[in-house]
Amino acid sequence: MRTISFDGVIVGGGGAGMRASLQLAQSGYKTAVISKVFPTRSHTVSAQGGITCAIASADPNDDWRWHMYDTVKGSDYIGDQDAIEYMTSVGPEAIFELEHMGLPFSRTEEGRIYQRPFGGQSKNFGEGGQAARTCAAADRTGHALLHTLYQNNVKNKTVFLNEWFAIDLVKNQDGAVVGVTALSIETGEVVFVKSKATVFATGGAGRIYASTTNAHINTGDGIGMALRAGFPMQDMEMWQFHPTGIHGAGTLVTEGCRGEGGYLINKDGERFMERYAPNAKDLAGRDVVARSMVLEILEGRGCGPEGDHVFLKLDHLGEEVLESRLPGILELSRTFAHADPVKEPIPVVPTCHYMMGGIPTNIHGQALTIDGSGADQVIPGLYACGEAACVSVHGANRLGGNSLLDLVVFGRATGLFLEEAMRSGIEVRDPTQSDLEEANARLAKLEAAPVDESVASLRKELQNIMQNHFGVFRKGDFMREGIEHLAALRPRIEAVGVADKTQAFNTARIEALELQNLFEVAESTAISAEQRTESRGAHAREDYQDRDDDNWLCHSVYFPTEKRLGKRGVNFAPKTMDAFQPKIRTY
Amino acid sequence: MLQVSIYRYNPEQDAEPSMEDFEVDTGGKDLMVLDVLELIKAQQDPTVTYRRSCREGVCGSDGLNMNGKNGLACITPLSDSVKGNKLVIRPLPGLPVIRDLVVDMSLFYAQYEKVQPYLQNDTPAPAIERLQTPEDRAKLDGLYECILCACCSTSCPSFWWNPDRFVGPAGLLQSYRFLADSRDLATEERLARLDDPFSVFRCHGIQNCVNVCPKGLNPTRAIGHIRSMLLKRAA
């Protein structure tokens, strides 16, 4: 196996990965990004509505502490307050940097960045009404962000290993991460990509569900690799169902639609969110809106012949506003819902959207594990940022507009930390031959396996289990049944084989490797969900309907080797202010 | 049953490319072309090879030639493409084929990089954002939305002939995106780099790029603006 060496290797070419790589490349360290797609095809490109940050454009008195309060409340109090403080306070600097790099934000009459209202955003610690804090480039903010980051990486000569697929982590005899094995999709060559620091910025894994807003590529590859290496995952039961996925297609319609004044109606034309969230209405937290929609549908007030969705009404905003503020939504709705929002409402349904959990990290992006005494321990050589990481700024429910801020701020923070660490010098022992063989064992097994079952049908089975047993509302006995189905599925997915043994652009092989990653994500989700016996944020149980702060005001930590769930304390110690204490969460 | 004919070529097994026919049951639905490819790959032949990611027309992975016209498979409904119950799917024309519907886009990306597709402004940045009026920002509309799918450049005869020297519609659209940005100060350098007989002036206004752009952008118009700027600079 050929070895290629870098100072830092970032796995994943989305927003988090390219913000980290940019930071490191600018400091002159030899930096590579491994991306299974050309970077601008990464899922960050699909983010629409914006990036929430107190840059004080729409409101000159805006304060990052208000944003921090909203984010803590949105997380249902299991977001780490030191991390949220860091994200919301450093945020403005990170946004202005993006603008200086060229990001084409929409503008106000004063020439500043345009900000729109988004769900869960308030002024004055929830007392001052709705805030407009979400910085936007029309409804194509993710696209504008991702392209700007790619362009600046090109400028700074980052090395891109495009259309390369990372297979597994390589650990040396000290247990330190020293790189990954990776496969060139175009040629089939497998190499050891050696690195002093390996950053997982592999994004989400929404494809564990049958219905998702996520791209085909969102298969949780970093989560799969870390779990196989025996590293723990945090808060994996916390999956966000976005209120407005287009019914049938699953494609996303931004919360910015409601931010601009759109609202949801049931079959009677009633604006039902007024009943569930009298103050914030359609701009309540996403978990609250998604559950309200499902209740409307379950109680027989859904729309359409099957009564299985509700409508998002936008026509009252007028064509001009829609064309200038939501042009991408007009396109998407016309294409995928066959509905023209200028004239008629869009059929929408809650759809799997975002993984709040992931690889536990500190605010420097260092991946963590928990030792026998319950203390955090840094995993040497491994870092994570973006959706793959759980730092945790989102806790049990992410606010709209906070994912782009998370990936920019913590991609940047990881890069800054690595710059310092590289400067002081990182020495690692080389892996042995057997270390490398271990990291390549999965591919070797796949190549040798007989072909009994198709990857596509196994994937469908997995997605249906997750959709049916671990959806918006959950129940213990039903989840236990789902876990049994998963246990039966594991040997079949581990034994999967691929008939096509050719080397050039073998996507059948890639899909098999992705399926195994999806399974690891799904299993950790299922076991974590079944054991958290309360309802909090996105995790809503019919058999435990209340939040249980006595027992569960904590992170869950899933240990893959023993398939055991542990607990980890939530940080209530921000550096510059008093912590926000848990309160009943209403909107 | 929909008749689908797909361009196949695996360099390790095939001496030359060929077309392979499939029959697909669409269940009477007006699927997207990508859905049809996914059905074939899942149910009939997992070796059928193509790129795809977002499946909603924003990532630009699945630019393909469908019944003779370039477009994104994920947002092209069968009703827009199928003629006489027949759908012929080929790779984007003019670029080397790696396998089946996957083309080598190196030349396309090289032309993109050639225009230095990043904002250039060496003046000290303010503590907040650089201000830009809504009118100046509006000049970027129709330019910044490009998704680098290559549908335009691979439908352009000038690009087919000179893919190494003619920047092509996608690259030039991006070039103009920065020329038009009130915050960018490298106008003179950008124009100087384009001032040769090939980079811009190989565009003959055929407008294939405009006809195929899945985002409704108009590279020909952008090229016209660059041309005017170059001529004005020479005068």
Side-chain angles (χ1 to χ4, degrees):
Chain A
M1 199 186 307
R2 191 160 65 95
T3 299
I4 36 182
S5 299
F6 298 94
D7 292 315
V9 162
I10 288 99
V11 185
M18 288 207 289
R19 185 63 189 82
S21 64
L22 177 61
Q23 197 67 40
L24 205 51
Q26 277 172 339
S27 57
Y29 289 100
K30 203 176 160 201
T31 308
V33 174
I34 300 175
S35 179
K36 64 179 177 177
V37 293
F38 182 77
T40 63
R41 325 284 183 216
S42 306
H43 192 53
T44 301
V45 83
S46 290
Q48 299 171 352
I51 177 163
T52 303
C53 189
I55 60 161
S57 164
D59 172 5
N61 299 315
D62 200 8
D63 191 323
W64 63 263
R65 292 167 194 85
W66 301 347
H67 181 198
M68 177 179 170
Y69 167 83
D70 293 336
T71 304
V72 170
K73 177 184 172 186
S75 79
D76 221 347
Y77 298 96
I78 62 164
D80 289 306
Q81 298 201 13
D82 58 341
I84 298 174
E85 175 189 43
Y86 181 80
M87 177 177 81
T88 52
S89 63
V90 171
E93 199 182 330
I95 300 290
F96 295 140
E97 283 169 2
L98 288 171
E99 194 282 332
H100 299 155
M101 286 178 213
L103 201 159
F105 282 110
S106 301
R107 299 288 171 155
T108 65
E109 285 306 317
E110 292 74 39
R112 296 207 57 194
I113 294 171
Y114 169 72
Q115 294 181 292
R116 61 162 55 107
F118 242 57
Q121 295 298 331
S122 76
K123 298 181 184 188
N124 196 20
F125 308 107
E127 303 293 324
Q130 176 73 40
R133 188 176 291 134
T134 302
C135 309
D139 56 357
R140 302 187 180 96
T141 315
H143 169 276
L145 171 74
L146 191 67
H147 280 253
T148 300
L149 286 174
Y150 178 67
Q151 292 161 352
N152 281 271
N153 272 281
V154 167
K155 183 181 176 185
N156 286 282
K157 313 229 177 325
T158 302
V159 176
F160 282 100
L161 299 175
N162 291 335
E163 296 184 330
W164 282 66
F165 185 86
I167 304 166
D168 266 312
L169 280 168
V170 179
K171 289 193 284 184
N172 68 11
Q173 291 298 305
D174 306 319
V177 171
V178 291
V180 291
T181 48
L183 169 80
S184 160
I185 299 175
E186 184 178 335
T187 67
E189 186 191 10
V190 176
V191 302
F192 167 39
V193 185
K194 184 178 155 185
S195 172
K196 294 173 191 162
T198 303
V199 183
F200 275 179
T202 49
R207 287 278 156 181
I208 64 170
Y209 286 93
S211 169
T212 174
T213 65
N214 283 195
H216 285 289
I217 59 170
N218 287 23
T219 53
D221 301 323
I223 308 296
M225 286 188 274
L227 283 168
R228 272 191 303 277
F231 298 134
M233 286 301 136
Q234 180 169 283
D235 296 338
M236 288 301 288
E237 65 277 28
M238 299 302 179
W239 281 85
Q240 177 163 84
F241 290 80
H242 195 290
T244 55
I246 292 180
H247 176 248
T251 44
L252 174 71
V253 174
T254 175
E255 186 170 298
C257 290
R258 285 169 283 139
E260 298 288 347
Y263 55 85
L264 298 164
I265 52 175
N266 61 21
K267 73 168 184 187
D268 305 319
E270 183 203 2
R271 185 177 182 180
F272 58 86
M273 279 313 299
E274 290 179 333
R275 271 189 280 120
Y276 295 93
N279 297 313
K281 297 174 188 161
D282 297 81
L283 290 177
R286 285 181 177 173
D287 55 335
V288 175
V289 180
R291 275 194 293 276
S292 308
M293 292 167 71
V294 172
L295 288 173
E296 287 299 296
I297 291 166
L298 291 175
E299 289 169 10
R301 292 187 292 278
C303 305
E306 311 285 326
D308 58 354
H309 57 271
V310 301
F311 281 133
L312 173 64
K313 183 174 149 55
L314 293 174
D315 58 307
H316 58 286
L317 299 178
E319 190 162 3
E320 202 180 319
V321 169
L322 294 176
E323 289 283 0
S324 67
R325 298 295 185 209
L326 301 166
I329 294 309
L330 296 184
E331 269 179 53
L332 279 172
S333 179
R334 287 164 185 159
T335 306
F336 288 102
H338 306 295
D340 182 356
V342 173
K343 300 183 200 126
E344 56 198 325
I346 311 174
V348 291
V349 70
T351 306
C352 170
H353 184 57
Y354 188 85
M355 175 177 78
M356 269 78 72
I359 300 168
T361 69
N362 59 24
I363 62 170
H364 307 301
Q366 293 179 287
L368 304 173
T369 186
I370 319 301
D371 67 16
S373 68
D376 291 353
Q377 296 294 339
V378 165
I379 300 170
L382 184 64
Y383 301 78
C385 52
E387 190 170 342
C390 184
V391 52
S392 154
V393 288
H394 309 305
N397 171 62
R398 175 173 73 72
L399 294 183
N402 268 355
S403 60
L404 292 184
L405 187 65
D406 170 7
L407 62 83
V408 170
V409 167
F410 291 104
R412 179 179 180 271
T414 304
L416 286 168
F417 180 84
L418 283 176
E419 208 178 316
E420 278 306 306
M422 300 273 173
R423 200 164 289 140
S424 16
I426 299 177
E427 292 297 326
V428 279
R429 230 178 351 152
D430 279 344
T432 63
Q433 194 54 39
S434 73
D435 294 333
L436 287 171
E437 276 164 20
E438 202 179 317
N440 202 38
R442 186 163 74 109
L443 181 63
K445 186 177 173 187
L446 176 73
E447 290 296 271
V451 182
D452 292 327
E453 295 194 82
S454 94
V455 168
S457 61
L458 286 167
R459 184 173 57 216
K460 198 164 182 190
E461 225 176 291
L462 174 70
Q463 291 168 336
N464 286 337
I465 294 171
M466 295 309 291
Q467 190 76 29
N468 294 332
H469 295 267
F470 303 93
V472 173
F473 285 104
R474 299 164 172 184
K475 212 170 154 199
D477 51 357
F478 211 52
M479 285 195 281
R480 284 188 285 281
E481 210 177 288
I483 290 171
E484 279 170 32
H485 292 323
L486 288 176
L489 196 56
R490 176 178 271 281
R492 294 163 60 200
I493 286 180
E494 280 182 349
V496 76
V498 177
D500 184 359
K501 306 292 183 199
T502 58
Q503 298 303 317
F505 226 97
N506 186 338
T507 50
R509 176 162 64 190
I510 298 298
E511 288 188 20
L513 293 167
E514 289 176 330
L515 172 65
Q516 293 174 342
N517 290 331
L518 281 174
F519 183 84
E520 298 295 341
V521 178
E523 187 185 58
S524 60
T525 294
I527 292 174
S528 305
E530 194 272 329
Q531 292 196 28
R532 187 182 274 272
T533 48
E534 66 157 354
S535 290
R536 181 186 299 273
H539 181 61
R541 289 185 63 143
E542 292 174 39
D543 47 354
Y544 294 90
Q545 297 192 356
D546 295 327
R547 196 173 81 188
D548 177 2
D549 283 350
D550 291 340
N551 294 298
W552 287 105
L553 186 64
C554 62
H555 298 294
S556 70
V557 181
Y558 172 75
F559 296 92
T561 316
E562 314 96 304
K563 298 194 198 300
R564 173 174 69 81
L565 200 74
K567 294 181 177 180
R568 177 169 174 253
V570 172
N571 181 289
F572 278 91
K575 286 202 175 70
T576 63
M577 59 198 295
D578 292 338
F580 296 106
Q581 294 305 319
K583 285 194 292 195
I584 304 280
R585 183 167 161 257
T586 55
Y587 284 100
Chain B
M1 297 291 258
L2 177 70
Q3 308 294 312
V4 185
S5 181
I6 299 179
Y7 179 101
R8 302 298 309 266
Y9 175 65
N10 182 334
E12 288 161 54
Q13 294 174 334
D14 306 327
E16 56 187 38
S18 60
M19 299 302 290
E20 184 175 0
D21 294 331
F22 296 88
E23 289 200 335
V24 178
D25 181 3
T26 60
K29 285 190 247 174
D30 189 15
L31 301 174
M32 300 295 172
V33 172
L34 179 63
D35 299 330
V36 170
L37 284 170
E38 291 278 299
L39 282 174
I40 291 171
K41 191 170 177 73
Q43 295 171 2
Q44 300 188 37
D45 184 352
T47 69
V48 171
T49 301
Y50 49 90
R51 293 185 176 104
R52 86 283 181 269
S53 174
C54 75
R55 62 82 167 91
E56 57 189 19
V58 294
C59 79
S61 296
D62 61 352
L64 293 173
N65 185 273
M66 297 162 285
N67 276 348
K69 191 176 176 190
N70 288 359
L72 298 178
C74 60
I75 53 169
T76 302
L78 294 177
S79 56
D80 275 7
S81 188
V82 171
K83 292 180 193 93
N85 199 39
K86 179 110 182 142
L87 176 63
V88 180
I89 310 178
R90 294 170 163 275
L92 290 175
L95 294 175
V97 172
I98 295 174
R99 176 174 176 172
D100 294 354
L101 303 173
V102 173
V103 292
D104 180 349
M105 294 179 64
S106 309
L107 267 172
F108 173 80
Y109 294 136
Q111 293 296 355
Y112 171 68
E113 289 190 24
K114 202 188 267 181
V115 305
Q116 302 190 332
Y118 38 82
L119 193 83
Q120 297 183 44
N121 183 333
D122 291 335
T123 61
I128 59 167
E129 68 270 46
R130 293 183 198 277
L131 301 182
Q132 185 174 47
T133 65
E135 293 71 31
D136 279 339
R137 169 59 183 76
K139 290 174 188 159
L140 308 184
D141 287 338
L143 304 172
Y144 83 96
E145 301 94 325
C146 172
I147 58 175
L148 299 177
C149 65
C151 285
C152 61
S153 293
T154 61
S155 70
C156 171
S158 299
F159 190 76
W160 294 339
W161 280 109
N162 298 106
D164 53 339
R165 292 197 284 177
F166 173 49
V167 172
L172 290 170
L173 186 84
Q174 284 309 297
S175 179
Y176 188 63
R177 175 249 172 278
F178 290 99
L179 285 166
D181 195 321
S182 61
R183 302 168 295 172
D184 190 276
L185 301 181
T187 302
E188 171 53 29
E189 295 87 321
R190 289 183 189 281
L191 291 175
R193 293 169 66 84
L194 294 172
D195 197 2
D196 62 68
F198 279 89
S199 295
V200 178
F201 290 100
R202 282 286 122 173
C203 170
H204 299 304
I206 300 165
Q207 305 223 26
N208 280 1
C209 54
V210 183
N211 288 329
V212 298
C213 177
K215 306 309 286 182
L217 311 180
N218 190 329
T220 305
R221 191 190 302 145
I223 295 169
H225 288 309
I226 300 177
R227 204 191 283 261
S228 312
M229 291 173 92
L230 284 169
L231 293 173
K232 202 168 146 197
R233 178 174 171 269

